Amino acid sequence: MLETAVASLRFGLSMVFGTPFHRRSLDQILVAMRATYQELGPIGGDGEDLLGGPRLDDDTRRIVQGRRFRSQAMRAARETLYYADVFGGAGIDAKRLHYDDIASVPITTKEALRDDPEGFVRSGAVPHHRSTTTGTTGWPTTVWFSDDEYHLIGALSAIAFLGREIITPDDFVQIAISTRARLGVHGVAFSAAAIGAALHAAGLVGPEHTLALLTERHRLPRWKPRVSVMSTYPSYLGELVETGRRRGLRVGDFGLERVLLGGEILTAGLRRRVQEFFGPIELIQNYGMTELLPFGASVCNEEHLHFEPAVGIAEMLTLNGSGAPARPGEPAVIVATPLPPFRETTILLRYNTEDVVRTFDRPLTCDMRRIPASSNLLGKLKLAVEHDSGWVFVRDVLEALESVDAVILPTRYGFWAVPGGVAVEVVARRQDTATREAIGTALQERGVPLRQLHVVGDRSELTRPLPLRCDLKEGSTAKLHDKPAPPTPAMLSTANRRH
Amino acid sequence: MPHSYYVVMAFVAATALLSWGFYRRAAADRPPIGVVTLRDVAILLIVLVLLPYLYLNLPVAAVTTVLALGVLTAMYVTLEPALRRAWLAWTTGVGLVAADITLGVSQGVTGAPFLVINNIIMVITIVGATNLWAQSGMRARDVTVLAAGLTVYDVIATQWLSVMTDVMQRLSTAPLVPIVAWGLADERTALRIGLGDLLLLTVFPLVMRKAFGRTAGVVALAIGLATPAVILGVLAATGATVPVPAMAFLGPSMVAQYLWWRRTRTRERTTREYLLAEPAPQRLWQRA
């Protein structure tokens, strides 16, 4: 306990002064969290809050964030090629920046980072890990991290997962995301090891293969007999539901309790259909992107995105590219700055995520209302469609389509602007009038100004399909018919005795 | 038997029983992360060995300040869930400490008014400290190791070195004296028991209950109360004034109990397992 107190103090000092985190202190906090969980049970929010720092009022938060932004800007101007040019060209003195001056720093575009990732690396940093985005909307973007940053990202993930009981020591965790998503895999794998859970980094293989792994029974004495936690993408989860139904699998065939979802939008329709197939499992969303990690957002009980102010600054700007803050209730693009000491190698100031959310025009009532927030993700700006009376975002279309059971999962669809509204195309089980009416009604109920609807029976018939992460699959030579027989009751009872 | 025997034993019993009740009915304000480990016990032992020398070499005002801070912190652990308001808990604690210092400085530390306040402070402090340890997951094994270590130290420091006698003499001139005592005005009837002995005999039943069940806890409580009752009874009956290392009796009994229950029950329960097996009264367990 004394060592933990010292480690927590060192962590707190890094937070206050912006100095790099002490690696052994992070490890000590993790060890203490695990010991606390095993001895006393669930840690609850207090443990996580300890690391998030105290909740600040708006004025204090601005002062603290302004100071952190200034220190990051000074390092960027002094130690990175990209920002040396930006600050020099714009005639901005980073040393004089305050919170209200943040808007004077030019926005960093995705293209700038994608085209010259090394231009953002600090000269004094020790870049070890090259992480790339999956590139679903273009050429993958590279972000360099030091080994300490990788360790920090893993440790913070583990603290969040154990604090919220998303991964516990008796869980069996399966990672079903692309193994190229290095940071996503690392966060879950590091956490499972730190927490003491069993781990299988299975990757994004064919749905039949994953279903075979999920239904497998294990006889390891300390862990749950079947996969209890899975990390994956919403579209892949939809693919599992569809394939599983086709193969006649049912709720009792699985031991799944929680699914960690990221990278795509989770709709109410998909949630319902997943829970009908897998049972009342918990679907846990988060918002994070390789470029910004460990800065990201947690999703509250009312499905808002909450951005931890100690880790970074999230600005909500209008969609017209003017750089003005969005008004309350308006859609907005997230422009984010990861702050020190959470980001030490690749410095990004005011990075345009191109992710669209909506700002709030009324006070929040959710369980995280004291943390700055926006609505849940509406989609990528480049995939949104502007029409005569407003915008249609990916979420608007996807929520409507996935609410209709006739739409095959994963939802393969496209939409684009046509005079007076939008055209939508989607793959469905049937192409009859009833199906078309159901889809059309659902879209209109979501406020989509539907002008054309193309319901097709096969994905090859789509003309402008949106990219899905479930298509990042890796090859597999596994012969599923050679899967070993499940253990007999006698074998299972032996395992129980060992337990 | 002098009435100081009954007074001291009443405070000793109150300490152990209140702590026992607190453990079941209230939640100490412990750090959210971290459990008490064997390494903490080792650090505690080192501190306890070095502390007397610090007390002997620091000015009385500095010693009183250190004691006041420690006592206030431990008292807050007890008073906060009991009074349900942080400000009331701090006010009560500061009030008691202020009264203790005022009485100690103005009337000396042997008078009845001072001893009443000081004994009450010690009771509240010990209830808080022992519950903080026990509710932070301290294991019976670790308390046993601490008891064994303190037994050796107590015997050496009391019998072969003059350090404990010197410390007691020095502290008995200052407020917040770390003993439960009565009848100090007359050395023939004076009886006292040290804070360290009381801490151990109070925390041991808590961790034994958690680790091995209610019976183990009750046995530890009974032996823990009987030991000072006998030692103080002999001292009171004979009128002896020699210092007795109470840990020389408490420590071996704790080691024996731990070994017995460890052999019978194979392994210790965690706090989680204990609360599942013996759910605490939920309404009172929650802090305000």
Side-chain angles (χ1 to χ4, degrees):
Chain A
M1 182 169 264
L2 287 170
E3 284 173 296
T4 309
V6 173
S8 301
L9 185 66
R10 289 191 84 147
F11 189 95
L13 290 174
S14 290
M15 296 275 282
V16 171
F17 296 110
T19 53
F21 291 109
H22 185 241
R23 198 162 164 155
R24 270 182 33 216
S25 297
L26 278 173
D27 290 341
Q28 174 58 37
I29 290 171
L30 277 176
V31 167
M33 280 192 83
R34 189 172 157 186
T36 306
Y37 184 87
Q38 282 174 336
E39 175 64 39
L40 302 168
I43 294 161
D46 287 353
E48 270 190 277
D49 290 349
L50 187 79
L51 305 181
R55 295 281 159 249
L56 306 174
D57 61 71
D58 277 354
D59 289 341
T60 314
R61 177 176 60 78
R62 281 163 189 261
I63 292 168
V64 172
Q65 286 192 324
R67 199 171 61 219
R68 293 267 180 87
F69 186 92
R70 182 168 61 244
S71 93
Q72 194 74 321
M74 284 163 60
R75 294 202 301 180
R78 197 174 55 232
E79 296 185 56
T80 69
L81 297 171
Y82 178 83
Y83 287 110
D85 286 349
V86 167
F87 280 84
I92 299 169
D93 184 357
K95 288 196 285 291
R96 295 183 185 280
L97 286 173
H98 293 280
Y99 187 87
D100 292 336
D101 307 320
I102 288 175
S104 68
V105 176
I107 288 171
T108 304
T109 62
K110 267 182 177 285
E111 290 73 22
L113 178 63
R114 188 193 59 202
D115 295 347
D116 183 19
E118 273 104 44
F120 292 80
V121 175
R122 274 178 56 220
S123 57
V126 190
H128 269 301
H129 299 275
R130 179 183 182 180
S131 292
T132 61
T133 61
T134 41
T136 41
T137 55
W139 179 254
T141 301
T142 290
V143 184
W144 284 95
F145 291 93
S146 69
D147 199 52
D148 281 343
E149 282 177 310
Y150 247 58
H151 192 80
L152 173 68
I153 289 167
L156 293 176
S157 304
I159 288 166
F161 286 149
L162 186 57
R164 292 165 61 191
E165 289 194 277
I166 294 169
I167 299 176
T168 58
D170 57 351
D171 273 319
F172 195 122
V173 181
Q174 180 165 322
I175 299 176
I177 62 176
S178 167
T179 48
R180 284 165 290 162
R182 178 88 166 77
L183 266 178
V185 172
H186 167 72
V188 177
F190 184 102
S191 301
I195 291 166
L199 173 77
H200 180 201
L204 200 66
V205 291
E208 290 87 359
H209 191 166
T210 298
L211 287 167
L213 293 171
L214 292 178
T215 53
E216 218 176 3
R217 269 191 178 274
H218 302 273
R219 292 188 297 146
L220 296 168
R222 278 178 47 202
W223 293 285
K224 290 174 182 168
R226 286 181 295 196
V227 171
S228 54
V229 177
M230 180 169 65
S231 167
T232 192
Y233 309 116
S235 60
Y236 189 66
L237 194 57
E239 194 172 6
L240 292 180
V241 169
E242 205 69 40
T243 310
R245 279 197 192 286
R246 211 166 45 236
R247 293 177 60 85
L249 294 169
R250 290 176 302 181
V251 172
D253 296 322
F254 302 98
L256 211 51
E257 296 171 21
R258 293 173 293 281
V259 179
L260 300 166
L261 295 165
E264 289 176 331
I265 287 172
L266 171 67
T267 66
L270 179 62
R271 180 186 291 275
R272 172 180 59 77
R273 291 162 76 174
V274 165
Q275 288 175 335
E276 282 170 2
F277 179 69
F278 283 110
I281 61 171
E282 203 180 339
L283 301 180
I284 300 148
Q285 309 170 68
N286 67 15
Y287 170 74
M289 57 199 306
T290 302
E291 298 94 310
L292 301 177
L293 282 172
F295 185 43
S298 303
V299 180
C300 70
N301 63 328
E302 294 182 16
E303 300 212 355
H304 309 140
L305 298 183
H306 291 266
F307 301 88
E308 179 53 65
V311 187
I313 300 173
E315 300 170 74
M316 309 294 159
L317 306 184
T318 56
L319 303 187
N320 61 19
S322 68
R327 285 181 305 216
E330 263 189 353
V333 69
I334 302 171
V335 170
T337 305
L339 294 173
F342 293 93
R343 181 56 76 90
E344 296 286 325
T345 304
T346 299
I347 306 292
L348 288 172
L349 303 174
R350 308 195 76 214
Y351 181 73
N352 187 352
T353 64
E354 298 181 5
D355 284 327
V356 181
V357 292
R358 195 175 289 279
T359 56
F360 292 111
D361 54 5
R362 58 183 183 280
L364 299 181
T365 55
C366 62
D367 58 0
M368 297 172 77
R369 58 187 170 278
R370 284 184 291 175
I371 304 174
S374 70
S375 75
N376 207 339
L377 209 59
L378 299 179
K380 286 281 177 200
L381 182 58
K382 67 167 62 168
L383 300 178
V385 168
E386 189 171 16
H387 55 85
D388 298 341
S389 54
W391 288 87
V392 172
F393 300 107
V394 170
R395 180 175 288 278
D396 299 323
V397 177
L398 199 55
E399 287 280 3
L401 295 178
E402 291 191 336
S403 70
V404 180
D405 286 352
V407 170
I408 298 171
L409 297 174
T411 307
R412 298 198 177 273
Y413 69 111
F415 66 101
W416 58 92
V418 292
V422 297
V424 175
E425 59 177 357
V426 62
V427 178
R429 269 175 254 283
R430 297 175 297 278
Q431 294 79 49
D432 52 20
T433 310
T435 303
R436 289 177 55 82
E437 276 182 11
I439 293 172
T441 305
L443 285 163
Q444 278 160 1
E445 282 174 355
R446 290 287 309 184
V448 176
L450 186 66
R451 295 294 173 268
Q452 294 174 24
L453 178 61
H454 308 282
V455 180
V456 300
D458 189 89
R459 61 186 286 196
S460 63
E461 297 173 60
L462 296 173
T463 56
R464 304 186 195 186
L466 290 173
L468 300 181
R469 287 180 190 259
C470 65
D471 293 331
L472 295 167
K473 283 190 199 70
E474 299 151 42
S476 166
T477 56
K479 307 289 182 295
L480 298 183
H481 55 266
D482 283 344
K483 183 185 172 189
T488 61
M491 291 159 80
L492 287 171
S493 76
T494 310
N496 290 339
R497 277 204 299 277
R498 283 198 299 159
H499 201 350
Chain B
M1 199 73 79
H3 70 278
S4 55
Y5 173 78
Y6 300 106
V7 176
V8 170
M9 275 314 299
F11 275 108
V12 170
T15 308
L17 293 172
L18 280 173
S19 191
W20 178 267
F22 190 100
Y23 188 58
R24 293 288 297 162
R25 293 179 171 274
D29 189 9
R30 61 172 178 79
I33 297 173
V35 294
V36 178
T37 62
L38 200 54
R39 197 170 289 194
D40 295 311
V41 168
I43 294 168
L44 189 62
L45 260 174
I46 293 167
V47 170
L48 287 173
V49 170
L50 295 179
L51 209 56
Y53 296 99
L54 272 179
Y55 282 163
L56 289 173
N57 292 295
L58 284 174
V60 170
V63 172
T64 306
T65 307
V66 170
L67 283 173
L69 288 174
V71 157
L72 272 175
T73 308
M75 279 207 295
Y76 178 79
V77 175
T78 312
L79 293 173
E80 196 265 345
L83 301 176
R84 303 200 171 240
R85 281 176 182 78
W87 67 267
L88 192 56
W90 282 119
T91 309
T92 308
V94 170
L96 282 168
V97 169
D100 189 287
I101 294 172
T102 308
L103 285 168
V105 170
S106 64
Q107 300 178 14
V109 297
T110 56
F114 170 82
L115 288 176
V116 168
I117 296 291
N118 198 71
N119 288 350
I120 289 171
I121 288 175
M122 289 305 130
V123 170
I124 300 172
T125 299
I126 292 165
V127 170
T130 51
N131 270 278
L132 191 59
W133 292 348
Q135 291 189 26
S136 296
M138 196 176 200
R139 299 181 62 188
R141 179 202 63 184
D142 299 349
V143 179
T144 307
V145 169
L146 180 64
L150 284 178
T151 301
V152 174
Y153 172 69
D154 204 12
V155 171
I156 293 170
T158 310
Q159 297 300 109
W160 286 298
L161 304 173
S162 62
V163 62
M164 293 311 283
T165 314
D166 296 344
V167 168
M168 277 300 167
Q169 276 172 0
R170 181 164 168 78
L171 290 179
S172 64
T173 61
L176 295 172
V177 52
I179 54 171
V180 164
W182 199 254
L184 297 185
D186 180 356
E187 197 51 40
R188 289 168 302 171
T189 60
L191 283 177
R192 54 177 79 84
I193 181 166
L195 180 69
D197 305 326
L198 266 178
L199 278 170
L200 261 295
L201 81 82
T202 305
V203 75
F204 192 64
L206 309 187
V207 296
M208 290 299 280
R209 174 170 193 168
K210 182 205 79 172
F212 301 116
R214 193 169 187 279
T215 309
V218 171
V219 169
L221 186 65
I223 295 175
L225 288 175
T227 306
V230 172
I231 296 170
L232 293 175
V234 171
L235 288 174
T238 60
T241 57
V242 291
V244 176
M247 282 309 299
F249 301 94
L250 283 169
S253 85
M254 288 174 184
V255 173
Q257 286 178 75
Y258 173 75
L259 292 175
W260 164 263
W261 288 109
R262 183 76 175 73
R263 218 183 71 171
T264 317
R265 298 286 159 92
T266 317
R267 72 176 190 89
E268 291 190 32
R269 296 188 299 190
T270 63
T271 305
R272 193 181 199 178
E273 291 168 331
Y274 151 66
L275 286 173
L276 281 173
E278 302 176 47
Q282 204 60 40
R283 253 169 9 119
L284 293 167
W285 183 263
Q286 302 297 332
R287 282 189 300 115

